[in-house]
Amino acid sequence: MIPPPPAIELKGISKAFGPVQANTDITMSIARGTIHGIVGENGAGKSTLMSILYGFYKADRGEIFINGKLTPIPDSQAAIRAGIGMVHQHFKLVDNFPVVENVILGAEGGVLLRPSLSRARRVLTKLAAEYGLEVDPDALIGTLSVGHQQRVEILKQLYRHADILILDEPTGVLTPAEADQLFRILQRLKDEGKTIILITHKLREIMDITDSVSVMRRGKMTNTVKTAQTSPSQLARMMVGRKVLLRVGKSPANPGAAVLNVQDLRVRDATGVDRLKGVSFQIHAGEILGIAGVAGNGQTELLEVLGGMIPARSGIVTLKTRKIDLTGRQSDGRTRRARGIAHVPEDRQDKGLIMPFEAWENIAFGYHHDPKYQADRILMRPAAIKADCAGKMAHYDVRPSKPRLPARNFSGGNQQKLVVAREMDHAPDLLLVGQPTRGVDIGAIEFIHKRILALRDDGKAILLISVELDEIMGLSDRIAVMFDGRIMGERLPEHTCEHELGLLMAGITGPEKGGGA
């Protein structure tokens, strides 16, 4: 019996962006009805390869075969016609549209909307029952949890008859329970004959859900293995070419005096919604306080108000022995930096970098008053900034190491390393760090974690916000959990588990374990 052709076969795919070779002669085969993982360092070419498969980019050379048939994919519409769907890391949904309208958006099927909506409701009901993707078709997207929004994205692709699904970092903003539910859905899709490509930096997910995994390094495909025949440490070694510590060793904390004291902090956004509802905590010198929670529960506002990006409605914040102005003229980021506060924002592209500016300009962003950058009170020293940028890029392994390259031309992980290098290298008294390793490869994660712990061991206070429970558990000396703008509870990492933290992240409280602030 002749075996069926692979769902996807790539032959000799190459793609360059100017002098940067993103993909080099990539050949890969993915069996039909399987879950196939793709891992690799930042800048390894994973996103470029999937963008070629989905029609965002056109390969310079090479061929794509879908179910054994040579299939040119010049654009995304061609990919959709070939049965390929992609669920992006940042969802492509309209918040003030209901689910059913988001699903048919771009695939209305005619000039009259009402028949399309009626048909979409019937199809959605059938798909939801078939794959366990239950969601209210009339609910506004903006009212849904992140997990349910992701279901809508998957339904949108199935509505377009996708047999091949590409998922890019799908669990980055999910609770552990939502991630488990997603994996059950993916397993059901696989059982129904769908082919799934999973791009993730989480090796545990690769081991749990995939049948096979391909490893990319520096634009080339280095290996494809059966998942059952490998291990996280072997995959990490293949990704970076050396042994990687999957969990950085951490000595016990030796907390000193209180550095940050937050009392009854309240923030209301421009629409009148309360985002922080009486948050109180304390961080000491030589200590990491990790804050866990699903994105959207006040963590962003907490970082931004402490970093001087937004004002507070009320509350008292003290840095060492001096109060911080939360609402007046001295509540900006420049004043915070002068007081010894550094801030790695959660959204590197929107808040951490000026994307059209070159790397050396971004390295000075927020620190342009540093005497080593200034020739006098007015003029700056570009040569000194470029030299400093080159040093930071080498130390933090930013690729490519080109200070004159615009920030938008770096991969997402290397953009993150630029921000981390800028903020951590100033050895602040207090480091505010949001999602420090989001979209960062396993080797860079190890390096960033070591730098965070080195700052702690040097007596610095660190507020760590992350949706990655492994990261929170591995780095934090104390863990607080946020839900709906409040601190739901505090735990010691050695006295809790991911299940308990997951319940707190969902707003379910129980008997408290561990210590307090």
Side-chain angles (χ1 to χ4, degrees), residues 282-315:
Q282 196 174 70
I283 312 177
H284 299 82
E287 178 184 48
I288 299 173
L289 175 66
I291 295 189
V294 178
N297 280 278
Q299 306 97 306
T300 297
E301 289 77 13
L302 177 60
L303 280 178
E304 291 184 352
V305 72
L306 294 177
M309 298 173 71
I310 61 173
R313 183 184 175 202
S314 62

Side-chain angles (χ1 to χ4, degrees), residues 197-307:
I197 303 173
L198 181 67
I199 305 171
T200 180
H201 288 96
K202 301 177 184 179
L203 296 184
R204 186 176 65 176
E205 294 179 358
I206 289 290
M207 300 304 299
D208 286 347
I209 193 66
T210 65
D211 300 294
S212 55
V213 54
S214 292
V215 182
M216 295 184 66
R217 179 145 48 104
R218 303 200 177 191
K220 298 180 180 180
M221 187 66 67
T222 62
N223 211 342
T224 295
V225 296
K226 297 289 186 184
T227 307
Q229 297 173 1
T230 189
S231 67
S233 59
Q234 289 174 340
L235 288 174
R237 183 187 287 272
M238 284 189 279
M239 287 166 60
V240 302
R242 61 175 175 82
K243 185 177 180 180
V244 178
L245 296 176
L246 297 180
R247 175 160 292 194
V248 178
K250 182 180 70 172
S251 60
N254 185 26
V259 171
L260 181 71
N261 190 25
V262 177
Q263 299 178 35
D264 196 29
L265 186 60
R266 298 176 183 272
V267 169
R268 178 173 291 173
D269 69 15
T271 65
V273 176
D274 290 323
R275 297 298 183 183
L276 295 181
K277 304 173 182 178
V279 170
S280 300
F281 60 86
Q282 196 174 70
I283 312 177
H284 299 82
E287 178 184 48
I288 299 173
L289 175 66
I291 295 189
V294 178
N297 280 278
Q299 306 97 306
T300 297
E301 289 77 13
L302 177 60
L303 280 178
E304 291 184 352
V305 72
L306 294 177

Side-chain angles (χ1 to χ4, degrees), residues 76-396:
S76 294
Q77 287 301 314
I80 292 168
R81 288 193 298 271
I84 301 171
M86 188 166 182
V87 178
H88 300 269
Q89 183 177 2
H90 302 289
F91 304 147
K92 309 298 183 183
L93 300 171
V94 183
D95 280 355
N96 56 351
F97 278 20
V99 168
V100 66
E101 291 182 11
N102 270 276
V103 167
I104 70 168
L105 192 61
E108 291 84 353
V111 295
L112 298 177
L113 189 58
R114 188 179 298 277
S116 296
L117 289 172
S118 179
R119 176 183 177 276
R121 288 177 192 280
R122 293 194 304 272
V123 175
L124 281 180
T125 300
K126 180 176 180 294
L127 290 173
E130 187 174 354
Y131 297 111
L133 289 161
E134 289 82 6
V135 64
D136 180 1
D138 295 311
L140 293 178
I141 291 296
T143 67
L144 297 179
S145 70
V146 176
H148 279 82
Q149 289 183 24
Q150 190 175 65
R151 291 185 188 186
V152 176
E153 281 282 23
I154 296 173
L155 282 169
K156 186 166 69 174
Q157 306 310 321
L158 295 176
Y159 183 78
R160 288 161 169 75
H161 307 292
D163 286 317
I164 298 166
L165 280 175
I166 305 168
L167 291 94
D168 187 7
E169 298 287 350
T171 64
V173 293
L174 302 184
T175 67
E178 287 173 329
D180 289 343
Q181 175 64 18
L182 172 65
F183 290 158
R184 286 191 289 270
I185 291 168
L186 295 183
Q187 187 63 50
R188 189 174 299 186
L189 289 167
K190 170 191 163 182
D191 293 342
E192 292 290 331
K194 307 293 185 185
T195 303
I196 297 163
I197 303 173
L198 181 67
I199 305 171
T200 180
H201 288 96
K202 301 177 184 179
L203 296 184
R204 186 176 65 176
E205 294 179 358
I206 289 290
M207 300 304 299
D208 286 347
I209 193 66
T210 65
D211 300 294
S212 55
V213 54
S214 292
V215 182
M216 295 184 66
R217 179 145 48 104
R218 303 200 177 191
K220 298 180 180 180
M221 187 66 67
T222 62
N223 211 342
T224 295
V225 296
K226 297 289 186 184
T227 307
Q229 297 173 1
T230 189
S231 67
S233 59
Q234 289 174 340
L235 288 174
R237 183 187 287 272
M238 284 189 279
M239 287 166 60
V240 302
R242 61 175 175 82
K243 185 177 180 180
V244 178
L245 296 176
L246 297 180
R247 175 160 292 194
V248 178
K250 182 180 70 172
S251 60
N254 185 26
V259 171
L260 181 71
N261 190 25
V262 177
Q263 299 178 35
D264 196 29
L265 186 60
R266 298 176 183 272
V267 169
R268 178 173 291 173
D269 69 15
T271 65
V273 176
D274 290 323
R275 297 298 183 183
L276 295 181
K277 304 173 182 178
V279 170
S280 300
F281 60 86
Q282 196 174 70
I283 312 177
H284 299 82
E287 178 184 48
I288 299 173
L289 175 66
I291 295 189
V294 178
N297 280 278
Q299 306 97 306
T300 297
E301 289 77 13
L302 177 60
L303 280 178
E304 291 184 352
V305 72
L306 294 177
M309 298 173 71
I310 61 173
R313 183 184 175 202
S314 62
I316 299 173
V317 175
T318 305
L319 184 68
K320 294 185 174 178
T321 58
R322 293 175 58 192
K323 288 184 180 179
I324 290 178
D325 185 354
L326 297 174
T327 59
R329 290 180 301 172
Q330 296 186 345
S331 62
D332 62 350
R334 178 181 173 183
T335 304
R336 297 289 199 278
R337 289 185 177 90
R339 294 281 300 276
I341 299 175
H343 179 195
V344 177
E346 291 181 298
D347 189 331
R348 55 184 171 251
Q349 294 188 355
D350 187 45
K351 300 291 196 304
L353 298 166
I354 302 175
M355 300 304 287
F357 282 25
E358 295 175 0
W360 71 275
E361 295 170 307
N362 275 286
I363 281 293
F365 185 35
Y367 294 95
H368 45 282
H369 297 284
D370 191 317
K372 68 181 179 182
Y373 292 161
Q374 291 189 310
D376 53 41
R377 287 190 172 185
I378 299 174
L379 298 176
M380 301 181 69
R381 300 170 56 208
I385 301 173
K386 290 171 187 173
D388 186 52
C389 179
K392 286 181 168 63
M393 294 176 95
H395 186 52
Y396 283 80

